[in-house]
Amino acid sequence: MAAREKSEQDARPPVGVRALEELLASQRRRIGRYTARADHRAREAFPAPPAEGGDDRSDVAAEVAAIATRDLLDALPMAALLVRVVCDDEGRIVDYHYVTQNEAAVRYADAVIPREARPPSAGRPVPLFDRFPSMADTAVPRMLRDAFDGGGPQGPEPVEWYLPLPDGQAVRIHNELTVTRCGEHLLLCWERGHRTLLARAAQQLARVCWAEWNLGDDSAQGSEGLQHVLGLADDAPVPSLPRLAAMTDTAGQDRLCRVLYDVFEHHRRAAWDLRLEASGQVLSCVAEPVRLPGGPVWSVRAVMMDVTGDRRARERASLAERDAQAQRAQVHALADISGALRDAVLPHFEGELSPFGLEAAAVYRPDSGSGVGGDWFKVRVLPSDRVLIALGDARGHGLQAVTLMAKLRYALAGLSFTGRKVEQLTTWLNNVACDDGRESTATAVIARYHPERCLLRWTCAGHPRPVLLRGGEARVLDEAPGTGGPPLGVVPDLRYRATETTLREDDIVLLYSDGLVERRTHDADADTARLVEEVRRAAEPGVGAGPAGLEEFAQDVVRALTGPHQTDDATLLVFRHLHGEPVRPR
């Protein structure tokens, strides 16, 4: 037999509902063997006495009668009153008399009821509702009547009543009452507070329940609300362990089987999640063994909490986190590609501009959110000894904007070698953008500097106009009448016209993208005015000599106009006219 038990303990944990039933059957056999051995030892240690004549019931009645009623009341652990039922000649209840109370009731009164609110002791039975008038308006009369008329024990039921104080205030008393018939008397017992009501409310609020499965007789009991938590009808019996397993899927059945194996074989507490297949509810469960002294596990007790909302919230959060990680990875990949393209298309200035009477500097601040956008610029000495100067902003952000920006920049670089006027270059570049697709739009300022005349000829395609700093004063350059035009890529074959601006010695011209000045909640004219003011302020101490001094000036302007949460690319291209006299071409 011992070897058989050892074999059962060493068996591998079974899986599935059928295997669970086999596991429970094995445990019941173990309990049966234990109880059989225990009964045998008990009979050997305490043999039954020889039978004697006489009526055992009369002996018991005599012994009970010998115990005083007050002693029996005082033995009760809860507060109790003994109430006598008063009936008329026809057996109808006409009153209830308060007879006495136990020590627990006295302690309760000392703790809850001030002495001035207690009715005087009569030393004899008195009408219950004369002694406690407000109790007559509660459920107590009904409970007393039903218990006496054969309705069985009544309660526990929450009851509230009060006792008046001499100063006009009242003591509120709230208890859970139970009424039980004792011959011609009634025993009224109570506990402080609404413990059952509060426990029920707490279980409903937290969606918690408990159950215990007795393996010796296959009985099961559960707390109030167990059926609600399990999604069963209110009058449904507590499900057996196999029935509970059948309410979940195959994985849940296997998990429950392994949990019970741990409880039975290793006497360990176990925790697991139980997913109900019909409703999709998730219960967080903790099971513990209940053992006989020195014997096997006799029953399993479990506490279950409905954590469906929490688990679903975690699943949604996990899914959102995975989506966010994927999006971040995509954004970083696009930013890396876009950054590489930007490095390729925004190199340092090519060649030396000073022989042509110019020096230049550029500052670029990317969008703090999406990383890179469509800003671009181009400064290049042309074979005709003239200088191409351009700055543009392709629509959008990321790879698409950088791709369009690169296309327009390289197209302009090639077209400029034709030697055609700047207005023709703008028209051609517009057609390039139009051919690229409906969404391929961009703004641009395209200029050509003629050193032999100190002349800047420029066109504006939907872009903010340049700013001129001269003699410490800054202003936006005016366009010639009829020279403004829409952005590139909007109207095919549109003819643009150029504005001519003659430069003086130490003039500084600023070309910039709208991300440097535009604010979503501000007026565009106010934003431009702010730029002009910041240019003037940055120039107050004087603009340093050489490209380094010019770049420091540009950095100062950009710092004043941008912040750590830049919502768009910001590019500033500045160039200074060095000579007051025309420069002879090489």
Side-chain angles (χ1 to χ4, degrees):
M1 184 176 292
R4 183 177 177 182
E5 289 185 1
K6 184 70 168 59
S7 176
E8 289 177 353
Q9 292 176 354
D10 293 340
R12 295 183 60 189
V15 294
V17 174
R18 182 174 298 178
L20 176 60
E21 293 174 342
E22 294 176 358
L23 179 64
L24 295 175
S26 173
Q27 190 67 15
R28 282 192 291 270
R29 289 194 298 271
R30 186 176 301 163
I31 293 171
R33 290 193 293 269
Y34 171 81
T35 56
R37 291 195 300 268
D39 286 347
H40 180 70
R41 289 194 297 269
R43 282 193 294 270
E44 289 182 344
F46 303 98
E52 297 181 359
D55 190 349
D56 292 340
R57 289 179 296 178
S58 61
D59 293 341
V60 172
E63 188 170 351
V64 171
I67 303 175
T69 301
R70 182 58 183 268
D71 292 337
L72 287 173
L73 285 177
D74 288 341
L76 293 175
M78 62 179 64
L81 297 180
L82 189 64
V83 177
R84 186 174 69 195
V85 181
V86 181
C87 299
D88 59 16
D89 294 340
E90 296 180 1
R92 292 190 297 264
I93 299 175
V94 296
D95 206 352
Y96 302 96
H97 283 184
Y98 165 73
V99 178
T100 188
Q101 74 284 326
N102 64 356
E103 284 296 328
V106 174
R107 291 193 298 270
Y108 170 84
D110 290 340
V112 175
I113 305 175
R115 290 192 175 275
E116 59 269 23
R118 301 180 197 176
S121 176
R124 57 181 174 78
V126 296
L128 176 66
F129 299 125
D130 286 353
R131 188 169 180 82
F132 305 111
S134 63
M135 189 184 288
D137 297 326
T138 67
V140 172
R142 172 181 54 79
M143 296 174 71
L144 293 171
R145 183 181 65 252
D146 290 349
F148 188 79
D149 288 344
Q154 303 296 308
E157 187 169 335
V159 173
E160 293 191 16
W161 52 291
Y162 65 91
L163 287 173
L165 294 172
D167 59 2
Q169 297 182 339
V171 178
R172 174 176 173 265
I173 300 174
H174 52 104
N175 300 311
E176 286 185 350
L177 266 63
T178 302
V179 179
T180 307
R181 182 169 180 172
C182 301
E184 298 303 314
H185 291 75
L186 295 170
L187 190 64
L188 191 153
C189 304
W190 70 90
E191 291 185 286
R192 293 182 61 179
H194 303 327
R195 296 184 181 179
T196 302
L197 188 63
L198 292 175
R200 185 184 305 121
Q203 289 180 25
Q204 292 176 350
L205 183 64
R207 295 184 63 81
V208 176
C209 62
W210 62 264
E212 184 169 332
W213 292 273
N214 189 326
L215 305 178
D217 58 7
D218 286 335
S219 63
Q221 59 179 329
S223 64
E224 290 190 47
L226 172 71
Q227 287 80 0
H228 181 67
V229 172
L230 293 178
L232 301 173
D234 292 340
D235 57 352
V238 177
S240 65
L241 286 171
R243 170 59 183 154
L244 184 65
M247 294 170 64
T248 185
D249 56 15
T250 302
Q253 296 166 10
D254 294 347
R255 179 60 180 151
L256 178 59
C257 211
R258 295 177 187 278
V259 165
L260 293 178
Y261 183 85
D262 266 353
V263 172
F264 295 158
E265 302 298 339
H266 304 294
H267 306 159
R268 291 192 300 222
R269 176 180 296 181
W272 81 104
D273 279 356
L274 179 69
R275 185 180 295 272
L276 302 181
E277 194 169 25
S279 62
Q281 290 174 269
V282 180
L283 307 181
S284 179
C285 307
V286 178
E288 64 179 4
V290 180
R291 299 178 61 194
L292 294 173
V297 174
W298 188 284
S299 63
V300 178
R301 183 183 299 127
V303 176
M304 294 171 279
M305 175 184 289
D306 187 344
V307 293
T308 307
D310 176 66
R311 293 295 188 271
R312 287 176 179 172
R314 290 186 185 182
E315 290 174 0
R316 289 194 296 268
S318 177
L319 181 60
E321 176 62 23
R322 289 196 298 270
D323 289 344
Q325 289 177 351
Q327 292 176 7
R328 283 195 295 268
Q330 183 178 12
V331 168
H332 290 160
L334 290 176
D336 291 342
I337 296 171
S338 301
L341 282 174
R342 174 166 295 283
D343 291 341
V345 299
L346 292 181
H348 297 292
F349 297 110
E350 303 170 6
E352 179 61 47
L353 298 179
S354 57
F356 303 91
L358 297 177
E359 57 187 13
V363 177
Y364 169 71
R365 289 284 171 84
D367 177 350
S368 61
S370 58
V372 291
D375 287 7
W376 60 274
F377 65 86
K378 181 71 175 177
V379 178
R380 185 184 186 93
V381 177
L382 301 175
S384 61
D385 288 335
R386 291 165 184 170
V387 181
L388 175 69
I389 302 170
L391 185 143
D393 182 2
R395 181 175 183 260
H397 289 84
L399 186 58
Q400 183 178 2
V402 174
T403 302
L404 177 59
M405 171 264 290
K407 187 178 299 184
L408 294 178
R409 186 177 183 275
Y410 285 125
L412 178 62
L415 293 171
S416 64
F417 275 79
T418 63
R420 302 296 292 271
K421 293 182 177 181
V422 69
E423 49 266 46
Q424 183 62 60
L425 297 181
T426 307
T427 296
W428 286 340
L429 200 61
N430 173 59
N431 287 337
V432 171
C434 287
D435 292 341
D436 196 64
R438 178 181 297 179
E439 302 298 325
S440 296
T441 60
T443 63
V445 173
I446 301 173
R448 181 180 283 162
Y449 175 65
H450 299 255
E452 73 280 5
R453 293 187 289 166
C454 298
L455 182 65
L456 184 71
R457 299 187 77 253
W458 54 278
T459 61
C460 189
H463 199 87
R465 289 172 288 159
V467 171
L468 175 65
L469 177 63
R470 176 178 287 172
E473 294 297 325
R475 65 179 178 87
V476 177
L477 287 178
D478 295 325
E479 287 181 299
T483 57
L488 305 173
V490 176
V491 181
D493 300 321
L494 183 69
R495 294 187 176 276
Y496 291 84
R497 296 180 60 188
T499 298
E500 295 186 352
T501 302
T502 301
L503 300 181
R504 301 177 186 176
E505 185 175 357
D506 290 332
D507 278 356
I508 296 177
V509 179
L510 298 90
L511 277 61
Y512 55 93
S513 64
D514 58 8
L516 183 65
V517 294
E518 285 187 359
R519 300 295 180 269
R520 293 179 181 176
T521 58
H522 291 186
D523 178 77
D525 292 337
D527 291 334
T528 303
R530 181 166 170 256
L531 167 66
V532 171
E533 176 59 25
E534 291 298 339
V535 170
R536 186 199 60 77
R537 182 200 58 78
E540 280 183 353
V543 180
L550 194 62
E551 182 173 356
E552 183 178 354
F553 162 75
Q555 292 278 10
D556 194 12
V557 173
V558 171
R559 277 194 296 269
L561 294 171
T562 60
H565 303 294
Q566 186 74 15
T567 58
D568 196 4
D569 282 22
T571 303
L572 176 62
L573 172 63
V574 297
F575 60 92
R576 177 161 44 192
H577 186 233
L578 299 175
H579 307 293
E581 297 296 331
V583 178
R584 180 177 299 177
R586 294 178 299 180

